[in-house]
Amino acid sequence: MSGAAAKLAKDRATADGVGTPKNPVKYLNQDFEELRAQCLASKTLFKDDEFPACPSALGYKDLGPNSPKTQGIVWKRPTEICDNPQFIVDGATRGDICQGALGDCWLLAAIASLTLDQDILSRVVPENQSFQKNYAGIFHYQFWQYGEWVDVVVDDRLPTKDGHLLFVHSAEGNEFWGALLEKAYAKLNGSYEALTGGTTIEGFEDFTGGISEVYDLKKAPADLYEIIQKALKAESLLGCSIDITNAYDTEAITSRKLVKGHAYSVTGAEEVVYKGQTVQLIRVRNPWGEVEWNGPWSDEAPEWNYIDPKVKAALDKQSDDGEFWMAFSDFIKEYSRLEICNLSPDTLTSKEQHKWNITLFNGSWVRGSTAGGCQNYPATFWTNPQFQIKLEEADHDHDGSSKDPCCTLIVGLLQKNRRRQRKIGEDLLSIGFALYKVPKEAQDKTDVHLRNDFFQTNLSAARSDTYINMREVSKRMKLPIGDYLIVPSTFEPFKNGDFCLRVFSEKAAKSLEVGEVVKANPYEPQISDQDVSADFKNIFQKMAGDKGEINAKDIQAILNKLLARRTDLKSTGFTLVTCREMVSLMDMDGTGTLSLVEFRTLWMKIQKYLDIFSKADTDKSGTMDAHEMRTALYNAGFNVNNKIQQSIAQRYASRDLTVNFDAFIACMTRLETLFKIFKLLDKDGSGHIDLTVPEWLCATLV
């Protein structure tokens, strides 16, 4: 219950605008300004109890408490490490980021790239932080996390060995913004060790909120140059690299003066007329600024003598030290991969109209309800979360004919918090997604969760590439105008995980989560005393005696006697708690007992639910599979959303993800009761009720 309440509180905070760049979430409810003011007032240095300077902050295995690698580590503040510590000296530069004894070079490459864009850097590294003015041993950084910005506070106690920083450090030794950024990111992910291994793209995304694409240049799409031009126009971050085949290749320099295994930036793409032919050029930056391409179109190459001098002067003016031009055809041959991080509108500072439109969904895969696996598992695939997007406006420069306009979009599926879960043995899941054209009867409807028969008879319109265990899987695609269903999934079913699904589109896309409508129309038999047979009356009177009413214990006794005769049902018998809920559901006069008509109505409901249960039990095992609860609920008259489905599976399914008959009846009874209570309290039919604490407790403790 506490987890559900926390999620509800978070959803409401998001609706109120918390999590935007201007109003980031205070991570672990720590407010930087308040904490710093308290420390300054008390003349003490901040100690972070949420990420204490102790072995657990270092790691859990290779950097665990008893690991040889952690012996001799001493936590020190910068004022104890050097005489004149500085936060940033003469601006942040790549030289401020030197790797230590942690395998997080992917993160450091992303941090180094930050130094090339002051606007983005100042968001991640808030200004007005210093070891001189208002120093209180506390610093803070801002990161994008799965759809929201968070502000992370850290103290400045850093792990050292033999008097030197163990992890990130600056070349000069007295600049600490990089080391403290690494600590804040470690806190966000649970420990320093959790940062081991990753891709630069992951860092890019957490520093910008952008969505990334990765291209293998050996399999480059025909329109890659146009994609690059569009990305540069939209202020995206572009990086490229040359793969290494062995350890000796690391930082090795090719005959054309390109460095293997080294992160380059792509900063320009222009077409020039050369000897009567149009040539595509691309501008690349080496952050080192020392080693540059010496092939065609390099700084002193003869090709420049054969183009318009004004064009040459303009392109020369655009290049700084460390930047060079090369033919796009050579770029494809020499480099191995291209990474593009497409920035979100709230990251961009330009007012140019080349910004992406964003649609964002958050969801979960939960065993037994919404963790359906990929299309290889047709029995469960349809139970995955489903999301609709409506593409109504084509790109302004679409490729199709006027009768078949197309829309460019990038879909990214991002799995959440997997680094934090490494310490409990969890790692990245293999994930992917598929898009389907929505049939007309399901368009604009949030209560139509497409079922197994749809996926059995319809091919996907687009899909991600091979399922892979990466934090994010993304795909750029062009689709005709229309309505599409996106189904994100893990490769195998029954894998728990939280995810964030994003759609970046050139034009605005309308969106809705399928299955968000919550409503109930359960079976309500209308009977009177005359409708009850003589045999049923006799059975009831034997139980009721002179009272003329039966209580929960009486109901338990008779129902369990009847259940014991059913060989087609697996049941341990109805519990007294369930029978009390049955009484609460049917008791119209508040006596805590049931009359003849009330009990007859209850019996007819149970018969109806028995019929639904038997149809769901397709293998005649006496139980139903948990993922079939969605169909059973629908047949019983209940439309509930994914979160409620997940709660039902967690509460009523057994460990083997099956639901027996008494658990099913308990669920149906509970749902009916809750809907009935809400309807009684929602007097104006608005779909909203206000309750005091006593009213809330009375309503839920039924």
Side-chain angles (χ1 to χ4, degrees), residues 73 90 96 127 181 233 269 278 302 312 334 353 424 464 474 496 508 512 682:
I73 289 178
D90 297 329
D96 301 340
E127 297 173 345
L181 190 157
K233 203 172 185 180
T278 300
K312 178 181 184 300
E334 298 288 341
Q353 296 302 308
I424 59 172
S464 57
S474 66
N496 289 326
L512 55 91
D682 182 20

Side-chain angles (χ1 to χ4, degrees), residues 361 387-389 438 442-445 484-485 510-512 514:
F361 305 98
F387 306 93
Q388 273 194 38
I389 56 168
V438 177
Q443 289 176 8
D444 301 318
K445 293 184 178 178
Y484 294 88
L485 187 80
K510 293 182 181 177
S511 62
L512 55 91
V514 176

Side-chain angles (χ1 to χ4, degrees), residues 37 58 93 122 199 243 250 336 345 504 533 604:
L58 294 172
T93 64
S122 61
T199 63
D243 286 346
T250 306
S336 306
F504 276 40
S533 68
M604 292 178 70

Side-chain angles (χ1 to χ4, degrees), residues 39 92 145-148 167 204 258 287 290 294 316 320 337 342 367 387 419-420 448 488 519 610 698:
C39 290
Q145 287 286 282
Y146 318 121
E148 63 185 17
F167 302 132
F204 275 163
L258 298 177
E290 298 166 358
N294 62 6
D316 273 348
D320 297 322
R337 70 185 63 251
N342 302 281
R367 293 178 75 244
F387 306 93
R419 286 188 180 275
R420 294 187 67 86
V448 180
K519 60 184 180 181
L610 176 58
C698 287

Side-chain angles (χ1 to χ4, degrees), residues 594-611:
L594 299 187
S595 66
L596 172 63
V597 171
E598 288 170 340
F599 182 61
R600 177 59 180 167
T601 304
L602 172 65
W603 179 247
M604 292 178 70
K605 280 179 174 289
I606 292 173
Q607 292 290 98
K608 174 72 172 178
Y609 290 141
L610 176 58
D611 181 53

Side-chain angles (χ1 to χ4, degrees), residues 447 451 612 629-639 645:
D447 60 342
R451 299 180 181 279
I612 292 169
M629 277 292 280
R630 188 186 292 271
T631 300
L633 286 164
Y634 179 79
N635 291 335
F638 295 104
N639 259 35
Q645 289 280 353

